[in-house]
């Protein structure tokens, strides 16, 4: 069993999709959630407003009450996301996604609806607050929540650390007196009010006919104050048992937290804690953390129906990630998937079979295999198996299979920067200019001309289609390799269909990559918010046209695409000739002995490799993925102009171009084709390594890291940030969740019907090509999952031993907190 002090990580993620709809009509179903994230949707109608008055959008009374509304997503009271403002509407629509890793502990995931006021502070219409413990109840389920009223006394977060002791004291006169010693140690996670938090605490002992109040010092500019102050209260009852068990004489201990404010309205309330003292025992010390609670002011809450409701689809994940060694057996089993025959018996394929949705399996699989550079063999294997099962070339990759979901997720991760470089400039223009492209005569507005709109649409489509077809050189290598594999498998399977090698790829690059990004640019980070209705309609028309042109059906679109053969072939992974020219290169020192002289060679660049040759056969092949950087070389190195360097893992190739323009062209295009390489350098040496040292920084070791930042390549903020251990933990969680299906699949492998009889209906959903091999893999999966399950169970037992309760009083909510929980 692993030790309690073992280093592990708790990872929590949340994604929110926001839609605001009107409640005056029958409720509208939301868009289905994407992946294992958190999605959200909302509606409301104005308080104290009859439904019958809102049904017509043109009603004068409704127009008078139009609002400029937005929604925020909050961890407790800390805002982490805000939608755009939809103006003059009682039923605004947002359609916005939000995803985040949650970096700290929290109590509530809250959603606030605001009404913007340009002259005063924005007013809060209402909120929905979901306890962290309740998030799993609503996991991946569409649920309606009533909006709740918001006031200052209900907006509470944070916790307080207290120590209480009830002791018996004999005074000088011989009278027995009971004293309550209370120590306020510290608070954590208090809210920041109006940009500042200067907290202090008041401690009160109340009872029949008494109310004793004491106050701590104010702690400036902190929401985690350290008080460590002790206060004493005389209980004044000699019969302690009578004090404990007599309800009429119960005393209540209360701690209130305040923010010291200079405003005329007084100090702001931050939260309170009430503890009946009946649970105390003489000479016993009670120390614990307690959550702060809203103020109990006795006011009656307003009816929640006055505000409306909020629709949420919450997918919340919390992973306890162990050190990497714990996952080695399961990870090794996963990595064998690409080489196992048949691939349907592999661990990765089985995960796709047992999960309720293929997307559930695809997300952690792709992230794990992409992190370790093994995604291309995996997708090639499962795609080849799917193509072999496909009977009609027109339906190739048209379903939501594990292959299609894995490719979608790979394009989303590896191609995000490529997508932004290609589409963002023109998408920004479309959103800003607002040219009308409506071509449906029924939807035309007054003063709009159908011919002008058609021309606007044609120009947009022509420009977008051109930038797409000319962007092949920037397509990430991993995507090109996948497309090349799809092309080859499809061509072998359907040899009589010359177009299938193109349709197999275009179904992804156009229909599932560029077209969705154009249709919903906010989901691909091309725009910060969902576009306005007119722009959204324009993007919809462009997206549909691009889908048609990219479908490569037997139509005019085939001829259009064939007018762009070189760049389009770049998507297919086909070696595309980009540049060919004679240049002078310096010997790389690949041989241990020999002169490093300069020779003229024929250089050839494709989207797969960079080569040079003397005659018909290449002397050196440099795979594109081995290019770490391409930079200028300072003239002083060899006293030669127009030189540049191609940096590889073990050596540097120095090249002299024929002129400065040619040198720049080579640097630019080599940088573009290699910009998505995983190990690109951040720094380089601008001068050569000669006579035992680098001329630029004088370092003597030839493997000394560079001294100057690279000028090309990917910005640091778009590098993939993937935790392989966490993704393996997610895969374990999925297998554990669907253990019943794993057992059913084991039964299917052992069933006689799998071998020589008709399949039983309960087993018909599984793809089992080799029952024996599949059963062997299933057994290994179950064994690994059970081992990890034992580790998790032991972790929970050890954590429980370290956990201490707050109030034991059933009238006060039990607050179970880890003593170490205040160390995020």
């Amino acid at each position: 069993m692993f030790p309690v002090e073992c280093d592990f990580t708790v990872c929590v993620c949340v994604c929110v999709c926001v839609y605001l709809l009107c409640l005056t009509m029958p409720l509208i179903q939301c868009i289905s959630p994407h992946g294992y994230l958190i999605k959200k949707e909302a509606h409301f109608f104005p308080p104290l407003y009859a439904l019958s008055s809102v049904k017509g959008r043109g009603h004068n009374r409704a127009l008078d009450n139009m609002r400029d509304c937005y929604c925020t997503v909050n961890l407790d009271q800390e805002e982490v996301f805000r939608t755009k403002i939809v103006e003059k509407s009682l039923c605004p629509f947002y359609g916005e996604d939000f995803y985040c890793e949650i970096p700290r502990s929290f109590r509530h995931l809250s959603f606030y609806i605001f009404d913007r006021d340009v002259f005063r502070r924005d007013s809060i219409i209402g909120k929905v607050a979901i306890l962290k413990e309740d998030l799993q109840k609503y996991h991946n389920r569409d649920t309606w929540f009533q909006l709740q009223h918001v006031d200052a006394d209900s907006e509470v977060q944070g916790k307080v650390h207290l120590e209480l002791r009830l002791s018996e004291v004999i005074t000088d006169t011989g009278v027995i007196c009971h004293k309550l010693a209370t120590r306020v140690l510290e608070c954590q996670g208090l809210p920041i009010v109006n940009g500042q938090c200067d907290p202090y605490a008041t401690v009160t002992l109340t009872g029949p006919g008494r109310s004793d109040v004491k106050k701590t010092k104010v702690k400036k500019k902190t929401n985690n104050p350290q008080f460590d102050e002790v206060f004493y209260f005389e209980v004044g009852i000699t019969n302690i048992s009578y004090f404990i068990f007599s309800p009429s004489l119960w005393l209540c201990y209360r701690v209130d937290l305040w923010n010291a404010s200079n405003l005329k309205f007084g100090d702001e309330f931050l939260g309170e804690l009430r503890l009946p003292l009946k649970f105390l025992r003489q000479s016993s010390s009670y120390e614990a953390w307690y959550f702060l609670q809203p103020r109990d002011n006795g006011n009656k809450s307003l009816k929640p129906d006055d505000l409306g409701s909020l629709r949420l689809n919450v997918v919340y994940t919390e992973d306890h990630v162990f050190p990497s060694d714990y996952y080695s057996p399961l990870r090794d089993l996963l990595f064998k998937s690409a080489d196992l025959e048949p691939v349907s018996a592999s661990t990765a394929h089985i995960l796709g079979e047992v999960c309720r949705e293929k997307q559930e399996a695809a997300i952690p699989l792709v992230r794990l295999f992409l992190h370790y550079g093994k995604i291309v063999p995996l997708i090639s294997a499962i795609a080849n198996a799917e193509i072999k099962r496909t009977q009609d070339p027109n339906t190739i990759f048209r379903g939501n299979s594990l292959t299609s979901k894995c490719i979608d997720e790979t394009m989303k991760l590896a191609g995000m920067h490529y997508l932004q470089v290609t589409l963002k400039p023109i998408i920004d223009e479309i959103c800003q200019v607002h040219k009308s492209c409506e071509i449906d005569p029924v939807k035309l507005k007054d003063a709009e001309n159908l011919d002008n709109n058609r021309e606007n649409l044609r120009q947009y489509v022509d420009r977008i289609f051109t930038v797409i077809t000319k962007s092949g050189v920037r397509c990430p290598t991993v995507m090109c390799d996948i497309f090349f594999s799809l092309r080859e498998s499809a061509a072998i399977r359907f040899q009589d269909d010359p177009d299938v090698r193109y349709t197999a790829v275009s179904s992804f690059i156009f229909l599932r990559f560029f077209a969705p990004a154009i249709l919903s640019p906010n989901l691909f980070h091309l725009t910060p918010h969902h576009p306005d209705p007119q722009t959204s309609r324009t993007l919809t028309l462009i997206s549909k046209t691009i889908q048609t042109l990219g479908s490569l059906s037997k139509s005019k679109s085939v001829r259009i695409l064939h007018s762009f053969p070189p760049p389009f072939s770049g998507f297919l992974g086909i070696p595309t000739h980009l540049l060919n020219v004679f240049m002078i290169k310096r010997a790389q020192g690949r041989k241990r002995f020999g002169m490093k002289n300069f020779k003229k060679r024929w250089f050839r660049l494709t989207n797969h490799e960079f080569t040079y040759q003397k005659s018909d056969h290449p002397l050196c092949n440099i795979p594109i993925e081995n290019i770490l950087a391409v930079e200028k070389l300072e003239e002083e190195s060899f006293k030669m102009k127009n030189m540049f360097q191609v940096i590889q893992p073990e050596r540097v190739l120095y090249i002299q171009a024929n002129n400065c323009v040619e040198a720049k062209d080579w640097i630019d295009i080599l940088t573009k084709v290699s910009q998505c390489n995983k190990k690109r350098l951040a720094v380089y040496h601008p001068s050569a390594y000669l006579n035992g040292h680098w001329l630029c920084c004088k370092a003597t070791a030839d493997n000394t890291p560079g001294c100057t930042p690279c000028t090309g390549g990917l910005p640091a903020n778009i590098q993939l940030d993937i935790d392989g251990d966490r993704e393996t933990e997610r895969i374990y969680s999925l297998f554990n969740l669907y253990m019943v299906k794993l057992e059913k699949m084991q039964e299917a492998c052992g069933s006689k019907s799998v071998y020589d009889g008709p399949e039983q209906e309960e087993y018909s959903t599984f793809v089992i090509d080799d029952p024996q091999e599949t059963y062997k893999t299933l057994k290994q999966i179950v064994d690994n999952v059970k081992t990890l399950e034992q580790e998790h169970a032991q972790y929970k037992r050890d954590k429980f031993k370290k956990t201490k309760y707050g109030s034991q009083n059933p009238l006060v909510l039990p607050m179970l907190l880890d003593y170490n929980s205040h160390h995020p």
Side-chain angles (χ1 to χ4, degrees):
M1 294 298 180
F2 75 94
V4 174
E5 63 273 14
C6 176
D7 182 23
F8 71 94
T9 309
V10 178
C11 303
V12 182
C13 71
V14 59
C15 169
V16 180
C17 218
V18 187
Y19 303 86
L20 286 173
L21 309 174
C22 181
L23 282 182
T24 60
M25 302 297 289
L27 303 183
I28 302 173
Q29 295 299 314
C30 74
I31 296 175
S32 60
H34 302 290
Y36 60 93
L37 312 174
I38 296 191
K39 303 204 93 178
K40 157 174 132 327
E41 185 171 344
H43 325 300
F44 67 91
F45 52 88
L48 306 179
Y49 202 83
L51 290 181
S52 59
S53 302
V54 189
K55 286 183 179 178
R57 289 197 180 188
H59 196 284
N60 289 335
R61 188 178 173 189
L63 288 173
D64 293 338
N65 288 273
M66 290 294 181
R67 299 184 174 196
D68 300 340
C69 295
Y70 61 91
C71 178
T72 67
V73 182
N74 296 56
L75 294 176
D76 296 320
Q77 293 184 48
E78 181 184 5
E79 181 181 322
V80 293
F81 177 72
R82 178 179 295 198
T83 69
K84 67 179 179 182
I85 298 173
V86 176
E87 299 180 346
K88 299 180 180 179
S89 176
L90 295 178
C91 47
F93 175 81
Y94 292 95
E96 299 191 30
D97 277 349
F98 170 68
Y99 172 91
C100 77
E101 297 281 339
I102 300 178
R104 63 170 177 82
S105 60
F106 67 99
R107 290 178 63 192
H108 294 90
L109 179 65
S110 303
F111 307 86
Y112 291 80
I113 306 296
F114 285 86
D115 183 13
R116 184 186 63 175
D117 192 322
V118 294
F119 300 108
R120 298 189 298 269
R121 186 176 178 179
D122 297 349
S123 58
I124 301 178
I125 296 173
K127 75 169 183 177
V128 167
I130 306 175
L131 276 169
K132 177 183 177 182
E133 293 78 13
D134 293 338
L135 285 173
Q136 286 300 325
K137 294 181 185 178
Y138 311 108
H139 179 79
N140 205 16
R141 292 170 50 200
D142 292 345
T143 309
W144 285 95
F145 297 87
Q146 292 292 331
L147 287 178
Q148 304 296 322
H149 289 273
V150 177
D151 57 67
D153 289 344
S154 68
E155 295 299 281
V156 170
Q157 72 179 54
K159 54 192 177 183
V160 59
H161 189 186
L162 302 175
E163 183 180 0
L164 303 175
R165 177 185 290 271
L166 187 64
S167 55
E168 188 176 76
V169 180
I170 301 177
T171 64
D172 295 337
T173 59
V175 178
I176 298 176
C177 178
H178 292 88
K179 285 191 175 182
L180 173 68
T182 173
R183 184 183 179 194
V184 183
L185 288 97
E186 59 181 318
C187 292
Q188 291 219 332
L190 299 179
I192 296 176
V193 182
N194 297 323
Q196 60 96 34
C197 186
D198 298 333
Y200 67 90
T202 60
V203 182
T204 308
L205 186 65
T206 60
R210 67 177 296 177
S211 179
D212 301 334
V213 183
K214 301 182 186 295
K215 177 182 174 182
T216 69
K217 297 177 181 178
V218 176
K219 300 296 180 179
K220 293 287 187 178
K221 298 179 180 180
T222 177
N223 65 337
N224 299 307
Q226 302 282 331
F227 294 113
D228 199 11
E229 296 188 38
V230 180
F231 302 100
Y232 296 94
F233 297 92
E234 287 191 7
V235 176
I237 298 177
T238 58
N239 189 341
I240 190 66
S241 62
Y242 183 68
F243 156 70
I244 294 174
F245 297 109
S246 176
S248 63
L249 294 179
W250 277 355
L251 298 179
C252 182
Y253 171 75
R254 191 179 81 233
V255 178
D256 296 271
L257 270 297
W258 301 86
N259 177 44
S261 173
N262 295 322
L263 300 177
K264 62 180 180 180
F265 303 108
D267 297 345
E268 291 100 349
F269 174 75
L270 300 180
E272 73 172 17
L273 172 69
R274 292 173 180 260
L275 293 175
L277 295 190
K278 66 175 184 176
F279 71 90
L280 288 178
R281 294 293 181 269
Q282 186 173 335
S283 301
S284 296
S285 178
Y286 293 83
E287 181 181 349
W289 283 91
Y290 297 87
F291 283 126
L292 294 172
Q293 303 296 318
R295 179 152 51 188
D296 182 13
N297 54 19
N299 291 342
K300 295 182 179 180
S301 60
L302 300 176
K303 294 181 179 179
D305 290 340
D306 291 340
L307 299 178
S309 58
L310 180 69
R311 186 180 189 180
L312 302 174
N313 188 319
V314 179
V315 182
Y316 168 84
T317 62
E318 179 173 325
D319 300 318
H320 294 262
V321 183
F322 295 115
S324 187
D325 291 345
Y326 287 77
Y327 301 105
S328 295
L330 180 59
R331 187 167 50 236
D332 293 342
L333 197 60
L334 285 161
F335 288 160
K336 294 176 182 177
S337 297
D339 301 322
L340 193 63
E341 288 290 343
V343 73
S344 60
S346 69
T347 307
H349 191 276
I350 290 173
L351 180 64
E353 289 294 296
V354 298
C355 285
R356 185 178 62 177
E357 296 179 2
K358 303 297 184 186
Q359 185 81 357
E360 278 186 297
I363 292 175
L365 279 176
V366 167
R367 294 175 68 86
L368 176 66
F369 278 74
L370 198 59
H371 177 70
Y372 286 97
K374 298 177 180 291
I375 190 63
V376 175
L378 174 68
I379 291 181
S380 298
I382 60 176
N384 187 53
E386 181 175 337
I387 290 172
K388 288 180 179 178
R389 290 192 294 266
T390 304
Q391 302 300 318
D392 185 356
N394 294 318
T395 62
I396 194 168
F397 298 129
R398 288 300 193 264
N400 289 323
S401 63
L402 180 63
T403 302
S404 61
K405 291 300 182 183
C406 282
I407 297 177
D408 288 348
E409 188 64 22
T410 301
M411 292 191 299
K412 186 186 298 184
L413 291 172
M416 191 60 69
H417 175 63
Y418 164 55
L419 196 64
Q420 292 195 351
V421 170
T422 305
L423 290 183
K424 194 174 189 326
I426 191 168
I427 294 294
D428 287 343
E429 180 183 332
I430 292 171
C431 293
Q432 293 168 7
V433 175
H434 291 97
K435 285 185 180 180
S436 178
C437 296
E438 184 56 69
I439 56 175
D440 185 346
V442 178
K443 297 182 179 180
L444 281 179
K445 296 180 181 179
D446 295 338
E448 284 188 352
N449 183 281
L450 185 60
D451 292 335
N452 290 342
N453 289 1
R454 280 202 190 100
E455 179 60 22
N456 291 339
L457 180 60
R458 188 199 65 79
Q459 290 180 5
Y460 278 145
V461 170
D462 181 64
R463 288 175 59 191
I464 288 180
F465 194 75
T466 299
V467 298
I468 290 174
T469 54
K470 289 185 176 179
S471 68
V473 67
R474 292 192 298 269
C475 186
T477 304
V478 65
M479 290 172 61
C480 289
D481 290 343
I482 290 172
F483 296 150
F484 180 74
S485 174
L486 300 184
R487 169 185 177 273
E488 293 300 299
S489 296
I492 294 172
R493 174 69 176 86
F494 301 102
Q495 298 182 14
D496 296 333
D497 190 335
D499 287 332
V500 72
R501 65 182 62 193
Y502 299 107
T503 56
V505 174
S506 64
S507 63
F508 288 105
I509 196 68
F510 282 99
L511 275 62
R512 305 176 80 112
F513 187 57
F514 283 113
I518 296 168
L519 180 64
S520 303
N522 58 305
L523 301 184
F524 294 82
H525 307 294
L526 297 174
T527 59
H529 297 294
H530 188 80
D532 61 77
Q534 179 179 326
T535 304
S536 182
R537 174 63 177 166
T538 298
L539 294 173
T540 299
L541 293 170
I542 295 172
S543 178
K544 289 182 176 180
T545 309
I546 292 297
Q547 286 184 11
T548 302
L549 293 174
S551 65
L552 283 175
S553 58
K554 304 292 192 298
S555 65
K556 184 178 179 181
S557 61
V558 175
R559 296 194 296 275
I560 295 175
L561 279 171
H562 284 176
S563 67
F564 301 98
F568 184 64
S569 62
F571 298 127
L572 308 180
I574 304 171
T576 305
H577 293 187
L578 302 174
L579 281 179
N580 299 276
V581 71
F582 277 107
M583 291 188 293
I584 296 174
K585 65 93 183 176
R586 183 175 184 263
Q588 301 182 73
R590 290 181 292 124
K591 297 180 180 179
R592 186 170 182 178
F593 302 102
M595 296 180 61
K596 294 184 178 180
N597 54 358
F598 288 86
K599 295 181 179 179
K600 192 172 187 179
R601 293 289 183 259
W602 176 253
F603 284 83
R604 178 175 176 269
L605 175 65
T606 72
N607 59 329
H608 273 232
E609 61 183 5
F610 181 45
T611 65
Y612 62 82
Q613 59 195 64
K614 182 178 181 180
S615 55
D616 295 336
H617 302 290
L619 297 174
C620 179
N621 292 56
I622 303 174
I624 294 300
E625 58 265 25
N626 284 358
I627 297 178
L628 307 183
V630 183
E631 299 287 346
K632 290 181 179 179
L633 185 69
E634 291 182 355
E635 184 178 333
E636 66 172 359
S637 297
F638 301 106
K639 309 301 181 185
M640 299 169 64
K641 294 180 179 294
N642 308 320
M643 291 202 69
F644 63 95
Q645 51 183 319
V646 179
I647 305 173
Q648 306 163 68
E650 297 180 356
R651 58 183 61 88
V652 181
L653 175 61
Y654 299 116
I655 303 172
Q656 183 186 35
N658 295 305
N659 54 64
C660 62
V661 174
E662 186 179 273
K664 183 180 183 303
D665 289 343
W666 275 98
I667 293 173
D668 289 345
I669 198 165
L670 281 168
T671 298
K672 286 178 181 178
V673 298
S674 63
Q675 65 180 348
C676 293
N677 287 352
K678 189 174 181 179
K679 297 182 180 180
R680 281 194 62 90
L681 296 179
V683 291
Y684 78 106
H685 291 284
S687 296
Y689 182 80
L690 296 174
N691 302 322
H693 68 276
W694 293 97
L695 299 181
C696 44
C697 60
K698 310 305 180 185
T700 56
D702 60 354
N703 59 353
T704 301
C707 56
T708 303
C710 289
T711 57
L714 288 176
N717 62 345
I718 63 167
Q719 298 287 345
L720 295 180
D721 183 15
I722 296 175
D723 184 341
D725 295 332
R726 182 181 183 183
E727 301 309 323
T728 313
E729 169 66 25
R730 288 296 310 147
I731 293 171
Y732 149 75
S733 299
L734 290 171
F735 276 134
N736 197 36
L737 178 65
Y738 295 108
M739 180 59 71
V740 173
K741 282 193 174 183
L742 285 174
E743 294 169 350
K744 282 284 185 185
M745 204 169 181
Q746 283 182 306
E747 293 176 10
C749 291
S751 173
K752 184 178 178 181
S753 63
V754 174
Y755 293 91
D756 54 8
E759 291 186 358
Q760 297 180 24
E761 186 176 349
E762 61 178 328
Y763 302 147
S764 60
T765 57
F766 299 129
V767 175
I768 301 176
D769 297 322
D770 187 333
Q772 292 183 349
E773 196 65 39
T774 303
Y775 185 86
K776 186 190 301 182
T777 304
L778 283 165
K779 187 178 185 307
Q780 292 175 303
I781 293 172
V782 171
D783 290 344
N784 278 284
V785 170
K786 288 183 176 179
T787 300
L788 282 170
E789 188 178 11
Q790 291 174 358
E791 301 291 359
H792 279 281
Q794 181 64 39
Y795 159 72
K796 291 178 181 178
R797 286 193 294 269
D798 292 335
K799 183 178 180 182
F800 183 78
K801 291 177 182 178
K802 296 169 59 182
T803 303
K804 193 166 185 177
Y805 282 91
S807 173
Q808 303 287 334
N809 190 330
L811 299 179
V812 182
L813 290 176
M815 301 153 198
L816 183 61
L817 283 176
D818 191 331
Y819 254 102
N820 293 326
S821 63
H822 59 285
H823 298 296

